[in-house]
Amino acid sequence: MTAQEISAEFKFEQRSINVLDSTIAFVDTGKVQSGHTCIFLHGNPTSAYLWRNIIPHVAPQARCIAPDLIGMGRSGKPENIEYRFTDHRRYVEAFLKIVVPDDRVVLVLHDWGAALGLDWARYNENRVAGLVLMEFVRSFPSWDAFPEAARATFQAFRSPELGRRLLIEQNAFVEEFLPAGVVRKLTETEMDHYRQAFLSEASREPIWRWPNELPVGGTPVDVARILSDGHHWLLQTPVPKILFWATPGGLLSPEDAAGYARTMKNARAIDIGAGIHYLQEDNPHLIGTEISKWLASGM
């Protein structure tokens, strides 16, 4: 797939609604005859823009809802929260209560969006029709278990002084880590979309917080417990699943993917080819087409 085949245009109109003490911006393609509803949750440092080339494939089969997490994309940026996992959890839960109060949903999850989605799913299993996973965040028992290619980078991000200099002052997660997580070269138009939410140092607090929330060696304790519980639920639930994986992968190596394909119940693993972490930027049409076919099959 060439870069020319991947559109940089964000063709969807975003609505904004009041959620708790702020606002959440989101794409909503509207209900379809099949009755499926897909919730797309992104991670760090992205937004609903990440799904721009995938949603067009899925929209004929499902109502597609893709929010920007609080403090990210075009959502509000409240100054009175720390942007911890538990803060995001409150806003996601409140958002879903407003936009899909009763619907059964398929959760399409990436990065920290996966951790948030699995946490919600664990408490709402009767409302989860399916799970689509790629490059998902989970607890790591030690730094030795963390992906070697990104280990030194994340250790630097978690260093109190160096981390803030890299992530707040230099915006390194957007300017360096994001493009390094894509095999092809992101265009300046695409980079500008991702930069737009984080033009000021003050706006980058969520970017800084996420690496510091990543559970390594049981720290932070509360997030480690939440993600471990979500991971255990993922392995046990019979909810239908698709796991997209890539080579070499970022958080999920091909070996990891093979292990999950064996241990997750009712799961299908799909190789997207070359990819690192932001798989949606390397092979979105395959991802979207496979999700659409899966929905059409009744899962």
Side-chain angles (χ1 to χ4, degrees), residues 227-244:
L227 266 61
S228 293
D229 288 346
H231 188 261
H232 178 74
W233 176 85
L234 172 65
L235 296 180
Q236 296 301 314
T237 181
V239 169
K241 305 168 196 71
I242 290 180
L243 173 65
F244 289 103

Side-chain angles (χ1 to χ4, degrees), residues 18 45 116 134 151 191 195 200 233 294:
N18 295 328
L116 290 163
M134 57 201 90
R151 190 179 304 158
M191 285 297 299
R195 291 175 179 129
S200 70
W233 176 85
W294 183 63

